Amino acid sequence: MSQTSIWNIVQALSAFKAQRRRDANHEHALRELRRFPPHLLADCQREMELTIPERPCAAATD
């Protein structure tokens, strides 16, 4: 196996692990938000929606 192939595998694995960390962080943030009463969250709902990035493959996995 060439060094280029090994490097590509390492990069793919690193990207996969980074995505899993981002997903775990996102889930943790959602769990933390659920601790607050809904009437308090309603005031900042629009701002929160604007800060959540679009994830094109999320619909395919749900």
Side-chain angles (χ1 to χ4, degrees):
M1 193 179 290
S2 71
Q3 278 189 314
T4 304
S5 296
I6 292 171
W7 181 244
N8 288 341
I9 292 170
V10 168
Q11 286 182 313
L13 181 59
S14 177
F16 175 76
K17 288 173 67 176
Q19 182 63 48
R20 287 188 50 134
R21 276 193 301 274
R22 284 191 296 273
D23 289 347
N25 289 342
H26 179 74
E27 292 299 321
H28 177 72
L30 289 177
R31 282 194 304 273
E32 290 296 310
L33 282 175
R34 287 187 193 113
R35 293 178 22 198
F36 292 96
H39 68 279
L40 294 177
L41 292 176
D43 293 337
C44 59
Q45 182 70 32
R46 179 166 161 70
E47 288 81 6
M48 289 188 325
E49 289 172 353
L50 294 175
T51 61
I52 297 174
E54 290 286 327
R55 292 187 8 189
C57 63
T61 59
D62 288 343

